[in-house]
Amino acid sequence: MSGNEKAWGGRFAGATAELMERFNASIGFDRKLLEVDLAGSLVHAQALERAGVLTDEEVAQIHAGLEQVRAELSAPGHAFSAGLEDIHMAVERRLTELIGPLGGKLHTGRSRNDQVNLDERLYLREAIAGIRLRLRHLQEVLADSAEAHLEVILPGYTHLQQAQPILFGHYALALFWMLERDQGRLEDAWKRADFLPLGAGALAGSAYPLDRQFMARELGFSGVTPNSLDTVSDRDFLLEALAALAILMMHLSRFCEDLIIWSTREFGFVELADAFSTGSSMMPQKKNPDSLELVRGKTGRVYGDLFSLLTTMKGIPLTYAKDMQEDKEPLFDAFGSVQDCLEVFAGAWQTMQLRPARMEAAVDDAALATDLADYLARRGMPFREAHHLVGRLVRFALEAGRGLRGLTLEELQSHSPAFGQDALSLLDLRHSLDLRNIEGGTGPEAVRTQLARARAVLET
Ligand code: ARG
């Protein structure tokens, strides 16, 4: 085989167009799979020995050759030519140059179709572990932040209109639990990917008695895939992981949105650190929350990665088709983006300044209206009626140019005789929060219990 000849060149009389060669090549991006490709090849060689195809001496030579290939191809400046097509061919080509015709025996009983599937699973395992580690770190940042500012009071919103007062600790822990579900989704995605595809061959199963259970054990899989057609067609494991990442990004993006609004002069609830802000080229006064805007922006990109692969997969007749080579860039892009976003978001959160006085002062008295209605309901008034009555009271206070807390007992009682002496004491933020010590609520005791629960999660 000469230097430029294709591994599959026997069938061909003519050369590949240079344009086609570039168009066909995935080596520009799948070189990322070098390590996992080598890991798979080392084990495949051992399986070939157990199947009686290679001697132990040959396996030793192949192993030594692959180590040399690793050293050369992983060198930072190493340039791959497009003619090598993909990482699988690049490894085999260099191995053959190094150890001679024996290198050509390595591909016995294997296809790039099961090989690429294996590489992607191995890549996915590490990529998921990397994301989960960064998720853990962010969860720790959130738990620490919840603890440090547990009793800071701020308005809680629905429809971006003030709803009821909440504690900052409760708010920070809301994201903690979202991320905990993200952890679960990623863990779950891996469970369904945790099967060895090698042995599926091109599509019909390898014609050599490769010990798939052995290979699975060696590569750390908990089992082997049950159907060779399904195996080489399958990219569900990537799609599930991308879906989990898309949801994770949606979570971060919503908190970015809150913090961006909160960092405006109008709100002033938080101030981002200089380290996670940037300025304007024209307006000297500007300090912009670009870190959070970019995380929000990259959410669209990660959704795009998921949709790109879903769309690629939807019309492919069983089993493999080259369309599936398009799976790698969205995969790498999504994991790379989410990794960066988790780190940046954690940094921005950890270093931002809270403005507790601004937060508490921003709570509108009307946010206590539910408590007044509840008060009447506890005294036997149907809640609907109480709701209506307090609504009128809010309007009365507004028209009088006062907040609910500016009303006198007489004014309350003129709306309903059910208001007793104790009604005025209801109009207090801390009292409102104390009413909500139900498990999962924003009362201080409940939030402390919740924090302990979060800490317990972190310890496992
Ligand atoms: N580079 C290909 C990919 O990424 C590897 C599999 C090619 N298989 C084939 N029969 N052409 O999907």
Side-chain angles (χ1 to χ4, degrees):
M1 199 164 71
S2 82
N4 287 323
E5 200 185 319
K6 302 282 183 249
W8 38 258
R11 162 74 178 75
F12 289 74
T16 319
E18 199 250 328
L19 172 63
M20 177 55 195
E21 202 156 82
R22 267 190 288 124
F23 189 62
N24 187 44
S26 54
I27 188 73
F29 43 89
D30 69 14
R31 53 185 298 179
K32 246 196 165 71
L33 298 174
L34 173 67
E35 281 301 322
V36 289
D37 197 74
L38 290 166
S41 288
L42 291 169
V43 171
H44 178 63
Q46 288 169 263
L48 285 174
E49 180 189 344
R50 295 164 74 99
V53 176
L54 296 176
T55 66
D56 58 347
E57 171 53 26
E58 286 175 321
V59 172
Q61 263 178 278
I62 288 176
H63 276 201
L66 288 173
E67 288 308 332
Q68 176 68 21
V69 171
R70 180 201 311 276
E72 290 181 18
L73 303 199
S74 63
H78 184 83
F80 293 90
S81 99
L84 290 170
E85 244 183 280
D86 56 26
I87 190 65
H88 325 295
M89 296 295 215
V91 168
E92 188 183 319
R93 168 64 60 94
R94 189 61 193 135
L95 179 68
T96 306
E97 285 166 0
L98 288 169
I99 68 171
L102 173 60
K105 286 194 178 182
L106 177 61
H107 209 56
T108 314
R110 181 175 73 168
S111 160
R112 279 183 293 161
N113 297 351
D114 54 358
Q115 192 179 0
V116 69
N117 193 296
L118 171 73
D119 289 5
E120 290 178 328
R121 287 177 203 246
L122 294 177
Y123 171 88
L124 188 69
R125 179 163 67 197
E126 278 176 34
I128 286 179
I131 294 296
R132 296 194 62 195
L133 219 65
R134 286 168 179 83
L135 273 172
R136 263 291 172 268
H137 170 68
L138 175 52
Q139 287 179 298
E140 270 156 22
V141 167
L142 292 168
D144 290 348
S145 160
E147 183 160 8
H149 311 288
L150 193 125
E151 299 226 11
V152 169
I153 299 175
L154 73 158
Y157 297 83
T158 63
H159 312 267
L160 199 50
Q161 302 287 329
Q162 285 206 17
Q164 292 172 334
I166 58 170
L167 292 181
F168 184 81
H170 199 47
Y171 178 80
L173 289 174
L175 180 55
F176 179 98
W177 298 113
M178 293 179 193
L179 300 181
E180 188 55 21
R181 290 196 298 277
D182 294 326
Q183 293 271 19
R185 267 183 285 273
L186 287 167
E187 186 181 359
D188 196 47
W190 175 250
K191 276 186 204 146
R192 271 179 301 282
D194 190 14
F195 297 91
L196 175 92
L198 280 189
L203 77 165
S206 175
Y208 295 81
L210 301 173
D211 185 344
R212 300 189 69 206
Q213 299 292 343
F214 162 77
M215 291 191 283
R217 278 195 307 278
E218 288 298 300
L219 290 166
F221 287 102
S222 65
V224 305
T225 57
N227 179 304
S228 63
L229 301 180
D230 176 34
T231 301
V232 297
S233 304
D234 181 22
R235 294 293 183 273
D236 292 5
F237 52 101
L238 301 183
L239 288 168
E240 281 194 52
L242 289 178
L245 295 184
I247 296 172
L248 191 174
M249 288 300 293
M250 178 271 289
H251 291 152
L252 294 186
S253 188
R254 293 184 69 178
F255 276 78
C256 286
E257 176 67 5
D258 273 353
L259 296 179
I260 289 166
I261 295 173
W262 290 4
S263 67
T264 57
R265 179 179 154 81
E266 288 75 5
F267 271 77
F269 287 6
V270 297
E271 184 177 344
L272 286 197
D274 287 1
F276 288 92
S277 308
T278 58
S280 154
S281 59
M282 184 187 176
M283 298 167 283
Q285 85 283 10
K286 292 278 274 172
K287 178 171 161 186
N288 297 327
D290 295 37
S291 51
L292 302 173
E293 290 168 354
L294 273 170
V295 172
R296 189 178 59 186
K298 283 182 195 289
T299 303
R301 172 180 179 138
V302 174
Y303 289 4
D305 291 328
L306 168 63
F307 270 83
S308 162
L309 186 54
L310 275 172
T311 311
T312 296
M313 294 306 296
K314 86 176 181 56
I316 302 178
L318 256 53
T319 51
Y320 176 87
K322 199 59 170 270
D323 314 41
M324 288 160 77
Q325 180 165 283
E326 290 293 309
D327 60 355
K328 281 163 217 65
E329 286 164 293
L331 174 69
F332 298 152
D333 184 74
F335 273 98
S337 302
V338 173
Q339 182 174 315
D340 290 348
C341 287
L342 283 169
E343 287 175 11
V344 167
F345 187 91
W349 189 293
Q350 204 166 21
T351 55
M352 76 184 172
Q353 287 289 321
L354 260 48
R355 300 269 177 266
R358 290 277 308 210
M359 288 181 176
E360 184 166 340
V363 181
D364 180 5
D365 286 358
L368 299 170
T370 316
D371 294 339
L372 277 186
D374 283 339
Y375 172 90
L376 295 173
R378 273 191 214 101
R379 303 198 142 205
M381 188 182 288
F383 181 76
R384 241 340 117 219
E385 201 178 308
H387 182 287
H388 200 77
L389 192 144
V390 175
R392 281 207 307 275
L393 203 54
V394 168
R395 182 148 50 87
F396 171 80
L398 276 174
E399 282 165 6
R402 283 176 281 159
L404 277 183
R405 277 183 283 192
L407 297 178
T408 63
L409 184 59
E410 292 66 42
E411 285 169 326
L412 289 183
Q413 286 172 336
S414 76
H415 281 78
S416 168
F419 283 118
Q421 289 289 340
D422 53 348
L424 283 179
S425 69
L426 278 183
L427 296 173
D428 172 75
L429 295 182
R430 282 177 177 74
H431 180 259
S432 170
L433 290 158
D434 282 336
L435 287 172
R436 291 179 171 76
N437 276 318
I438 186 171
E439 187 176 357
T442 197
E445 280 323 307
V447 176
R448 261 184 272 281
T449 306
Q450 190 190 153
L451 179 63
R453 200 170 150 186
R455 292 277 186 219
V457 166
L458 292 175
E459 268 150 36
T460 56

